Amino acid sequence: VANHGNSLVDSLALLAALPRETSPLAKAPLFQHRLLRPWLERMGAVPVYREQDVEENQGRGVRANLATFDACRRRLAEGRALVLFPEGMSQPQPKLLPLRTGVARIALDAGCPVTIVPVGLVFEGPDERRGTALVQVGEPFVADGSALSKEQRRGAISALTRRIEASLRSLLAEA
């Protein structure tokens, strides 16, 4: 999981910096772009449907994410890695937005222990030609929802989301 401050550059920075193959979640309208779609498919990206993109998604809204969550759980059960941006949108401010609960729901419903690796992305503006990206990997921790009852699930989702948020905040110098 990582903060999301620089649109597509975030996924590229993680692809370059992380030692294993990962598949990002990406907003569904990106899959309609003729140049981006092949790249997203090669990376194994999973489309995410956001309410603000319903028109661009031919009327598909957040309910379409049921299939997205299923695809994520399958990949995790297969031992594959996902990149998720729990803020739910890219924003260039040096401040973490409130996190959405999707990451916690996916991890806790995976049916197996899931290792969560927090990653802080910080971008410094270009001086002359190039900017600098800092990819700071935090301490991994395991989420396992396999023994949770339905009554415990809601509290566990909230607690895991708060833990992810605290982990990400510890990796960022918010201003």
Side-chain angles (χ1 to χ4, degrees):
V1 295
N3 60 304
H4 200 15
N6 209 338
S7 198
L8 288 173
V9 175
D10 292 343
S11 291
L12 292 172
L14 292 172
L15 281 172
L18 297 177
R20 76 180 281 195
E21 187 175 311
T22 60
S23 298
L25 272 66
K27 66 180 182 176
L30 294 176
F31 288 82
Q32 296 172 27
H33 192 282
R34 68 179 184 83
L35 296 175
L36 291 178
R37 183 183 186 99
W39 179 70
L40 291 167
E41 288 174 349
R42 271 194 302 277
M43 289 186 355
V46 181
V48 175
Y49 297 88
R50 304 180 316 168
E51 196 61 45
Q52 64 262 39
D53 300 327
V54 169
E55 196 170 303
E56 290 178 84
N57 293 329
Q58 291 84 39
R60 284 184 282 178
V62 295
R63 280 207 155 303
N65 286 325
L66 295 174
T68 298
F69 281 24
D70 285 342
C72 291
R73 287 189 290 266
R74 271 194 313 277
R75 288 169 193 230
L76 292 171
E78 293 167 358
R80 295 166 64 189
L82 297 168
V83 170
L84 296 103
F85 300 104
E87 291 171 284
M89 61 186 287
S90 177
Q91 55 88 20
Q93 302 302 314
K95 182 176 167 92
L96 193 65
L97 293 177
L99 302 191
R100 299 179 186 267
T101 60
V103 172
R105 291 175 17 215
I106 290 167
L108 292 172
D109 292 345
C112 61
V114 174
T115 300
I116 296 176
V117 181
V119 180
L121 298 171
V122 179
F123 295 93
E124 192 175 275
D127 292 349
E128 292 175 17
R129 289 181 35 208
R130 295 182 178 182
T132 302
L134 172 64
V135 179
Q136 188 164 318
V137 179
E139 192 66 36
F141 57 91
V142 175
D144 187 358
S146 58
L148 292 175
S149 68
K150 287 188 179 196
E151 296 78 30
Q152 295 169 318
R153 184 176 176 271
R154 180 175 293 206
I157 288 170
S158 179
L160 181 55
T161 300
R162 285 192 309 274
R163 183 168 184 190
I164 292 167
E165 181 176 19
S167 296
L168 288 175
R169 284 193 191 286
S170 74
L171 300 170
L172 302 173
E174 292 186 307

